[in-house]
Amino acid sequence: MEFGIFSVSDVTRDPVTGHTPSEAERIDAIVRIAQRADEVGLDVFAIGEHHNPPFFSSAPTTLLGHIAAVTERIVLSTSVTLITTNDPVRIAEEYAMLQHLAKGRVDLMVGRGNTVQVYPWFGQDIRKGLHLALENYNLLHRLWREDVVDWEGESRSGLQGFTSTPRPLDDVPPFVWHGSIRTPEIAEQAAYYGNGFFANNVLAPYGHFDRLVSFYRDRFAHHGHGTREQAIVGLGGHAFIAANSQDADRRFRPYFDAFPMFSGTSLEDYMEATPLSVGSPQLVVAKTMDFRERFGDYQRQLWNIDLLGLPVETALEQVELLGTEVVPVLRREMAAVRRPGVPATPTHASLVKAKYGDAEPRRPRPNPNRGDNVTGTSPYEDSDPAFPARYPRIG
Amino acid sequence: MTDRTPLQPDPERPADAPLTLVVISGGTGNPSSSRLLADRLTEKTTELIRGRGRDVSIRHVELAPIAVDIAQAVVTGFPDERLKAVIRQLAAADGLITVSPVYTAGVSGLFKSFFDILDDDLVVAKPTLPAATAGSARHALVIDGQLRPMLAFLRALTVPTSVFAAPEDWGSSALGERIGRAATELTALMTTGVGAAIAGDAWSGYRHRFGGEAARAERTAADVDFTSALMRLAAGGAPSQRDTGA
């Protein structure tokens, strides 16, 4: 099982000091947070995607490409990559590029995005958001698996004889998670492809995600990928940790009280009703073990630890506590109760192994440029002859 | 999605099973005139339903004591346990009486906020009697101009008669007559099971929330229609040109 952190990339005024970080400060801070997460042995760092203030992360592959260069082993992911307003062709290209640069330490989570204005800003319509998400992912899935794609749909212009470059590292696409908070169609798509399903497990009461995760498990089995228990489930969470729970309460409370969505609710009531984990390492461990009780054995746990305007030093301390006090205990306790047959989180190495066994992975080499910047009807020396390139006829 | 033959009420339920009437009152005074009107409507409806040989149980929902819970749900985006219990009563109701006070030329904010936090499909085709009280007869159109459009959005099955009570109405037998007429209409809708038949036959055509609180909400894979255009698209299929989109 993997443990890590995910950030929304908010730039928020610190309600205690009154300091609002600049975008530059926050971008530097998130790199430090990711580096520290790598140093303390967390498994995953994930960043959100937004296209409006007060968020800074509009270009996740640029950020993650840099983080890949300054970290050693942590897996880089997203929370989420917008599958609605991004062109799936650009997602295929950008994340394949990132995957090469990060030597396979990449997966991604696709989601719809709920900021109404972003859709028209990118020429889309939020009322078609679900359709876009489903159709775009169907295309993305093919772009990473077929050297040459002919495609026609509603969400973008058609493609004839298109090859997304670079091909995924080792010809093994990044593992994909589908994130959703209420939509069975998204869970169905995750189940259909045998991809992961991620419930963010924040800002909603206990019970909110249970049925959707259960639905995904049922459908994962229905589509023949394994048993319900073998479905690939990820959960989010929001944590604030201190050596003892009184300190955690005292230090976190001003941030909780200042956040508009918590207005009128007490920290105690909110903790009682939701997965929010504020307290000692023991409390966070107990709460996380309870997630397993509710959702079954799962593959990935991500916490948000830098929300609400927390200073970077505090966020780094959170990462440290996760890495030293919380995650080592959880690794032991989760492993001790894990049912046999539950798969590990898919990684690039495990996917390469599953595809090739001990054989050499495919490393595509293009055919020569014919002089018109294309390679003819077969883009790679070893392209599958079942998928010849077909170009649109002109004239 | 359902195989029900048209105009069959819930087959799980005997034709003479007791009915449930939920009465929502948005008044804040004690006693409040909204509650007083709600009580008059409830008494009359109960009498008529029992007169038809059906039993009926009444659940009163006063919004004033749960005003803070409602406000919190508006802000946090989800109802607390106390509010959930009320929502489940609504989901299970065979009929509704809704009474809002009129302040500042409109349905009360508390009353509106309560309806704002409900699932869009919670009261689909539920027989509903819209009523209001006000300090002046000049607000008489608040029901037809504001309350009915809100209930229409929620696809509630409103009775033809709106019951409005200004101070002077409490001295007029005409109020009693209107109460009687509206209660008769509500009784007819509740005892014939027409609402359940509409919800049963047309359910897949309304907008729903998976795992929601509506009595017929989809909760597991067994409830879900996998032949819809979007579900087929989710399972890798190409969309049909006709029925995808919004």
Side-chain angles (χ1 to χ4, degrees):
Chain A
M1 180 171 175
E2 291 181 338
F3 298 91
I5 54 175
F6 67 139
S7 174
V8 184
S9 89
D10 60 314
V11 183
T12 304
R13 177 179 172 273
D14 182 334
V16 174
T17 64
H19 175 69
T20 303
S22 65
E23 290 169 337
E25 280 175 68
R26 270 291 275 155
I27 291 167
D28 287 346
I30 205 72
V31 173
R32 291 177 63 196
I33 289 169
Q35 282 179 289
R36 186 66 60 87
D38 187 46
E39 288 158 13
V40 301
L42 296 186
D43 303 306
V44 185
F45 171 84
I47 189 76
E49 177 183 338
H50 295 269
H51 297 276
N52 52 299
F55 306 98
F56 65 79
S57 176
S58 58
T61 54
T62 308
L63 176 65
L64 294 177
H66 172 71
I67 291 174
V70 296
T71 53
E72 298 293 329
R73 52 164 297 277
I74 197 164
V75 171
L76 307 172
S77 188
T78 54
S79 55
V80 299
T81 294
L82 298 176
I83 189 69
T84 46
T85 46
N86 282 310
D87 181 349
V89 170
R90 294 294 294 139
I91 295 178
E93 294 172 341
E94 288 175 9
Y95 284 86
M97 188 69 185
L98 175 64
Q99 188 199 25
H100 277 271
L101 294 172
K103 306 290 179 226
R105 285 192 283 131
V106 170
D107 60 32
L108 73 159
M109 193 196 305
V110 295
R112 282 156 70 185
N114 64 357
T115 308
V116 175
Q117 297 84 346
V118 171
Y119 286 80
W121 287 334
F122 287 82
Q124 300 292 2
D125 177 351
I126 194 169
R127 291 166 301 177
K128 293 201 166 185
L130 180 54
H131 177 94
L132 285 169
L134 299 170
E135 183 173 286
N136 283 347
Y137 181 73
N138 287 342
L139 173 56
L140 175 62
H141 190 86
R142 288 186 58 200
L143 290 169
W144 275 341
R145 285 164 178 80
E146 299 168 27
D147 283 353
V148 181
V149 170
D150 293 344
W151 179 89
E152 199 154 322
E154 295 172 24
S155 59
R156 74 180 309 290
S157 53
L159 299 169
Q160 289 291 311
F162 179 76
T163 298
S164 172
T165 55
R167 302 307 298 148
L169 178 65
D170 301 320
D171 208 18
V172 168
F175 186 72
V176 171
W177 303 78
H178 299 253
S180 175
I181 57 173
R182 66 170 80 88
T183 312
E185 285 84 354
I186 297 295
E188 170 71 358
Q189 188 170 43
Y192 173 76
Y193 286 110
N195 291 345
F197 182 74
F198 190 91
N200 73 18
N201 210 24
V202 293
L203 300 178
Y206 279 129
H208 179 89
F209 298 98
D210 296 6
R211 289 192 179 113
L212 204 52
V213 171
S214 178
F215 173 87
Y216 160 71
R217 288 187 182 281
D218 281 342
R219 299 300 293 173
F220 183 90
H222 170 87
H223 288 296
H225 301 293
T227 64
R228 293 182 91 252
E229 291 71 29
Q230 289 169 333
I232 309 294
V233 173
L235 296 177
H238 185 183
F240 186 90
I241 318 158
N244 63 64
S245 288
Q246 290 83 345
D247 283 349
D249 267 23
R250 180 178 50 76
R251 291 177 58 200
F252 186 68
R253 192 175 299 272
Y255 296 92
F256 179 89
D257 287 346
F259 189 58
M261 280 186 78
F262 300 145
S263 181
T265 313
S266 74
L267 179 56
E268 288 76 10
D269 287 350
Y270 203 84
M271 282 264 287
E272 179 85 23
T274 78
L276 175 65
S277 310
V278 178
S280 64
Q282 293 74 19
L283 182 143
V284 177
V285 166
K287 242 177 136 143
T288 310
M289 291 306 293
D290 179 58
F291 298 167
R292 179 190 167 276
E293 290 295 312
R294 293 168 181 273
F295 293 99
D297 286 314
Y298 62 111
Q299 278 71 18
R300 176 175 283 183
Q301 172 65 52
L302 302 181
W303 291 277
N304 192 302
I305 47 86
D306 71 335
L307 201 65
L308 311 178
L310 288 176
V312 59
E313 295 307 330
T314 308
L316 291 169
E317 181 195 334
Q318 298 299 309
V319 172
E320 195 91 37
L321 284 164
L322 276 178
T324 55
E325 307 276 332
V326 174
V327 168
V329 180
L330 277 172
R331 285 196 206 282
R332 274 200 311 277
E333 296 200 3
M334 288 283 186
V337 293
R338 204 165 177 84
R339 289 190 198 89
V342 173
T345 323
T347 60
H348 184 70
S350 76
L351 294 170
V352 167
K353 180 91 184 160
K355 181 166 180 180
Y356 300 102
D358 294 327
E360 193 67 18
R362 178 182 183 228
R363 292 273 168 91
R365 295 160 212 276
N367 284 321
N369 189 342
R370 299 184 310 184
D372 55 0
N373 283 347
V374 289
T375 55
T377 55
S378 179
Y380 294 102
E381 292 175 356
D382 65 343
S383 286
D384 185 344
F387 294 101
R390 280 191 293 275
Y391 298 104
R393 289 221 176 105
I394 299 165
Chain B
M1 186 172 27
T2 60
D3 297 327
R4 246 165 231 144
T5 40
L7 282 178
Q8 286 298 306
D10 192 345
E12 308 278 301
R13 191 170 164 164
D16 57 351
L19 295 165
T20 309
L21 175 63
V22 171
V23 185
I24 300 159
S25 167
T28 50
N30 187 13
S32 85
S33 26
S34 289
R35 176 63 195 256
L36 186 59
L37 181 59
D39 285 346
R40 294 289 317 279
L41 291 162
T42 306
E43 281 159 24
K44 191 67 194 169
T45 307
T46 308
E47 178 195 317
L48 293 171
I49 291 176
R50 294 204 169 124
R52 292 195 172 200
R54 296 292 294 275
D55 198 11
V56 57
S57 63
I58 313 297
R59 305 260 182 283
H60 280 287
V61 176
E62 293 263 8
L63 299 185
I66 53 170
V68 172
D69 307 69
I70 292 169
Q72 266 178 11
V74 169
V75 176
T76 59
F78 61 84
D80 60 19
E81 285 306 317
R82 195 146 73 131
L83 207 44
K84 258 192 199 161
V86 170
I87 290 170
R88 285 182 188 133
Q89 287 188 352
L90 249 69
D94 297 294
L96 305 175
I97 292 174
T98 63
V99 190
S100 175
V102 176
Y103 311 129
T104 325
V107 166
S108 101
L110 174 61
F111 184 87
K112 177 66 166 58
S113 293
F114 175 71
F115 282 91
D116 285 345
I117 62 170
L118 304 181
D119 289 350
D120 285 351
D121 58 356
L122 192 81
V123 299
V124 164
K126 276 193 199 303
T128 302
L129 193 168
T133 59
S136 157
R138 291 180 187 85
H139 294 304
L141 280 174
V142 158
I143 300 177
D144 295 330
Q146 295 180 14
L147 187 47
R148 278 185 186 275
M150 181 189 82
L151 293 167
F153 174 85
L154 293 168
R155 306 292 187 263
L157 186 60
T158 44
V159 303
T161 298
S162 308
V163 180
F164 174 83
E168 59 269 30
D169 290 312
W170 295 101
S172 155
S173 61
L175 176 63
E177 284 162 23
R178 282 203 302 280
I179 288 171
R181 200 167 74 223
T184 303
E185 293 161 1
L186 183 61
T187 300
L189 291 177
M190 284 178 67
T191 54
T192 52
V194 64
I198 293 171
D201 288 346
W203 186 250
S204 62
Y206 304 105
R207 191 162 73 169
H208 301 297
R209 190 164 76 79
F210 180 82
E213 298 290 347
R216 293 168 197 261
E218 297 173 338
R219 295 190 173 86
T220 70
D223 303 330
V224 171
D225 176 12
F226 291 100
T227 66
S228 73
L230 287 170
M231 272 298 178
R232 282 186 281 118
L233 190 57
S240 80
Q241 295 300 309
R242 195 167 34 82
D243 52 359
T244 57

